[in-house]
Amino acid sequence: MTPASFTFTQEDLAQIRGTGLTPERILAQIEVFSKGFQFLTLDRPCTVGDGIEVLGAEERKECFAACEKASLSGRAMKFVPASGAASRMFKLLLGFNKGSGKTRVEEAAARAAQGDEDCGKLLRFMKGIKEFAFYEDLMAVMTRDGLNGEEQIEAGEFREILDYLVTPKGLNLANLPKGLIPFHRYAGRRSRTPFEEHLVEAAEYVRDKEGRARVHFTVSPEHEEVVRDRVERVTPSYEGPGTILDVEFSIQHPSTNTIAVDMENRPFRDERGRLVFRPGGHGALIGNLAGLDGDIVFIKNIDNVAPDSRKGDTYLHKKLLGGLLVLVQEKVFFYLEKLLDGECSPSPAEEAAEFAGRRFRVSIDERLSLRERVDLLAGALHRPLRVCGMVKNQGEPGGGPFWVRKKDGTLSRQIVESSQVDMRSPEQRKIWNSSTHFNPVDLVCGLRDHEGKPFSLRDFVDPGTAFISTKSMGGRDLKALELPGLWNGAMAGWNTIFVEVPLTTFSPVKTVLDLLREEHQP
């Protein structure tokens, strides 16, 4: 069945209108499932000296000062995608919790010794249980119900421990947003969640001269109420003389959802016969970013936080990245004003071409007329700007920095995910595997142009970088359409700079066991 031959029922149309989508848009999405997407063409990985910069001592001083000045003037804010649930973080424990019988240390140790990796991970969790920031809360909720959690731990019995940790019977951590999980323990048996750690960070590097620090969290609709309540309740404890935290929230709009289809590319329907829509992935957040009324915006994932004792490098390198953006932006604005003043002479055009070529790899044909060169240069410079921190590759899953060859043969710096690469090609797979650096999602973005007007961010999205994934629902397979990723295809048309940052600025938590790493312990 082709999209053109498909007819929606009246119930379908009412459902589509209720999401803010249109039948035409849905048909276009269905057509995408039939046609698929083209892979990106990797030319080579970005490496130090070839696409990735390392800031020298003098440059670091200039960047630090530039960021401080911009923040104090009120230009900076922080944007944190925080809609992720903690279910994946506790997937291992949920699996054991659903099993029958007792969950004992001795059994886990015996099976781990036989090579069972999951049991080895469970054993690590059991032995480290007292090191987690949520330990005291767990013991308290068990005591509330007349249970002695410490005795059960000493006895090596973890069935009820897991039950009270991940289910509604106790802390229900597996069903909370990841941002509300206690990550770090502080003196006085006090713990902090990722939301709180991000508030502390924001107060350090986006605070203006009035002490105001703006932070924006994107949250899922089902968690919005609980997140608002918890964050608004704790925010005053992180304020004080000279610090005012201005916290905003937004949700991913339903109109960014995408239709699901079955394996024959027909609209997938639930048990009631209704169309199934799925969130379009974090790329849908480009609309949230555009709606910030932001100028200089720092972006960082909700789970990449460190305790206070290890925040020093994060603070320093955030300011270095932000300052570099400000300094490059000043140059861009200078040349744009020269190019667009209507009286451009060959000399400024040549200077602008040299700058654009050196900084952004823009190539302008010298044989073109002056007017044509000016127009091309202005178009190349009049774009949103981002400076992205890159850490040395340590085998973490995720994307990395690459030189990508576009259809016109030119190269651009892009953050690329594995799903965007044709791994069946030995050449492309070899280039992918030769990457030296990893994307920790450490971005600073310039969202306004030389006249102070906000860019229309959707104009710089590459729709061809969306991708299709296979999911399941009710025991049936379906295909889902993911929009171009926020820092991948959604920013494909931006001017991009990659800068090496140390691994100490990157401390993500993907599974509960990551909280036992040194960087998350007191």
Side-chain angles (χ1 to χ4, degrees), residues 118-324:
D118 283 348
C119 282
K121 293 175 182 177
L122 177 64
L123 185 64
R124 187 179 170 211
F125 169 81
M126 291 171 165
K127 290 185 175 180
I129 182 71
K130 295 184 180 181
E131 306 304 318
F132 291 102
F134 49 70
Y135 174 74
E136 284 79 11
D137 293 338
L138 175 63
M139 294 300 101
V141 75
M142 294 185 74
T143 300
R144 176 201 67 190
D145 290 352
L147 300 171
N148 191 320
E150 292 187 359
E151 284 187 359
Q152 293 189 16
I153 291 170
E154 291 300 317
E157 173 57 65
F158 273 75
R159 163 57 60 188
E160 284 187 308
I161 298 292
L162 295 183
D163 220 21
Y164 271 81
L165 183 69
V166 299
T167 74
K169 180 186 287 189
L171 298 182
N172 199 29
L173 295 189
N175 296 305
L176 290 178
K178 186 185 282 190
L180 290 181
I181 305 299
F183 267 26
H184 302 138
R185 179 188 279 137
Y186 289 87
R189 300 181 69 175
R190 189 173 176 280
S191 64
R192 275 190 206 158
T193 66
F195 280 112
E196 292 171 272
E197 297 290 16
H198 278 290
L199 294 179
V200 173
E201 276 194 26
E204 175 65 26
Y205 55 81
V206 299
R207 185 172 50 187
D208 64 20
K209 62 182 179 183
E210 305 297 331
R212 180 171 175 255
R214 294 176 60 198
V215 192
H216 188 102
F217 296 108
T218 66
V219 296
S220 61
E222 62 269 28
H223 292 141
E224 182 180 11
E225 185 176 350
V226 65
V227 168
R228 281 183 180 272
D229 178 68
R230 292 277 292 275
V231 173
E232 289 173 358
R233 189 151 28 96
V234 301
T235 294
S237 63
Y238 298 103
E239 296 179 318
T243 302
I244 304 165
L245 291 166
D246 185 350
V247 184
E248 306 168 347
F249 302 91
S250 67
I251 61 172
Q252 186 174 310
H253 197 275
S255 65
T256 63
N257 290 351
T258 57
I259 188 78
V261 299
D262 62 20
M263 304 314 286
E264 283 73 46
N265 300 323
R266 298 170 300 198
F268 189 95
R269 297 180 182 275
D270 63 18
E271 64 279 0
R272 295 184 296 163
R274 290 169 56 83
L275 299 172
V276 172
F277 296 95
R278 296 179 57 86
H282 63 69
L285 298 180
I286 196 69
N288 301 64
L289 187 62
L292 290 181
D293 189 32
D295 182 359
I296 297 171
V297 180
F298 292 80
I299 301 180
K300 190 178 181 186
N301 275 341
I302 185 66
D303 62 11
N304 181 16
V305 287
D308 287 351
S309 60
R310 298 175 183 270
K311 283 190 174 74
D313 277 355
T314 294
Y315 292 154
L316 171 61
H317 288 276
K318 276 285 188 290
K319 293 179 180 180
L320 296 181
L321 296 179
L324 180 59

Side-chain angles (χ1 to χ4, degrees), residues 11 23 28 34 46 169 181 227 236 279 336 351 370 380 399 405 437 474 498:
E11 290 78 8
S34 300
C46 290
K169 180 186 287 189
I181 305 299
V227 168
L336 272 174
E351 291 179 17
L370 176 60
R405 190 167 295 281
H437 286 70
F498 294 143

Side-chain angles (χ1 to χ4, degrees), residues 7-26:
T7 303
F8 293 111
T9 66
Q10 289 301 313
E11 290 78 8
D12 292 340
L13 294 172
Q15 186 182 356
I16 291 169
R17 285 193 295 270
T19 64
L21 290 161
T22 64
E24 294 76 18
R25 200 162 159 193
I26 297 301

Side-chain angles (χ1 to χ4, degrees), residues 331-368:
K331 289 273 191 180
V332 170
F333 292 172
F334 170 79
Y335 286 117
L336 272 174
E337 288 169 1
K338 291 284 188 183
L339 294 171
L340 299 175
D341 67 1
E343 300 178 3
C344 186
S345 61
S347 180
E350 289 171 4
E351 291 179 17
E354 189 279 330
F355 167 78
R358 172 173 46 83
R359 177 50 80 184
F360 302 122
R361 242 359 129 82
V362 174
S363 179
I364 303 294
D365 190 340
E366 295 284 335
R367 296 169 296 180
L368 296 174

